[in-house]
Amino acid sequence: MTWLQQVAIFAAGIAAGGINTIVGSGTLITFPALLAFGLPPVTANVSNTIGLVPGSVSGVVGYRRELRGQRSRLLRLGTASLLGGITGAILLLTMPKEAFKAIVPVLIIAALILVVVQPRLAAWVKKRREGGDTAAPEHGGPILLVAVFATGIYGGYFGAAQGVLLIGLLGVFVHDDIQRLNGVKNVLALIVNGVSALIFIVIAEVDWQVVALIAVGSIIGGQLGAKVGRKLPPNVLRGVIVVVGTIAVVRLLTS
């Protein structure tokens, strides 16, 4: 790997860390970059997942104040995320690589749609939360539990826009402050990414140079995203994600 490629991956890690803090779709930056430099799709996905874990830890630490008083909720939903993440990671490693190449373009397109509709989804969630007269279960009920498990499977298998999906589900099924829900979302995403990373480290082929570059970049990006990212126009960030994700889909379909 040339030094220019290393710089590019490091920069992608910074961008992913920042975007994960703001939108939750950083994989759509780093994964296409790794594909562009010739990494096999499964190796790129595995190395990317491991590399982004430190950024996820940084996000959880940043939201530690909002997590106070949510121990029971985190244990309940975190268990679903843990089981889902394990299932998704095992599926990634046991299914044929050809299946991953066929499925990932569909997953990326679905993730891009989630990113595009996220503002409308957030507005609908806000309206529902403000106008709802019926008390919702404190932790979202069994439907949310199943949905979080399914999201964990998706996150363990690929994971782009996992955060967008989680915050949408939490906003629909749990009546609580959006910042507190965002803190829960960060923990659930960390659980999925963390358990997947552990499985990948033991079993999968990992490019550790890529992991190191993305890890350091994502930590820096996470801090920048928390301090500066909220000042940037969200539509600009979504536009970048859509463009990069579209390039990834085209590359996967034509490679």
Side-chain angles (χ1 to χ4, degrees), residues 161-194:
Q162 175 188 192
V164 175
L165 186 55
L166 281 171
I167 195 63
L169 289 169
L170 290 168
V172 169
F173 289 100
V174 181
H175 288 179
D176 205 337
D177 178 75
I178 190 65
Q179 291 299 333
R180 282 168 56 81
L181 296 182
N182 200 41
V184 174
K185 178 264 292 181
N186 287 338
V187 173
L188 299 182
L190 172 60
I191 290 172
V192 172
N193 292 339

Side-chain angles (χ1 to χ4, degrees), residues 75-194:
L75 287 173
R76 184 186 302 261
L77 297 179
T79 300
S81 288
L82 178 68
L83 296 175
I86 293 172
T87 303
I90 291 174
L91 286 175
L92 174 66
L93 297 177
T94 55
M95 292 178 65
K97 293 183 179 180
E98 291 75 16
F100 182 79
K101 290 181 180 180
I103 294 171
V104 164
V106 178
L107 296 179
I108 293 178
I109 292 171
L112 292 176
I113 293 173
L114 279 174
V115 170
V116 171
V117 304
Q118 192 269 340
R120 293 186 179 182
L121 178 62
W124 179 78
V125 168
K126 182 179 179 181
K127 182 178 180 180
R128 180 187 183 279
R129 190 167 54 245
E130 292 175 347
D133 297 325
T134 304
E138 183 181 358
H139 304 307
I143 297 178
L144 177 61
L145 203 64
V146 173
V148 168
F149 171 72
T151 304
I153 295 176
Y154 168 74
Y157 190 84
F158 183 58
Q162 175 188 192
V164 175
L165 186 55
L166 281 171
I167 195 63
L169 289 169
L170 290 168
V172 169
F173 289 100
V174 181
H175 288 179
D176 205 337
D177 178 75
I178 190 65
Q179 291 299 333
R180 282 168 56 81
L181 296 182
N182 200 41
V184 174
K185 178 264 292 181
N186 287 338
V187 173
L188 299 182
L190 172 60
I191 290 172
V192 172
N193 292 339

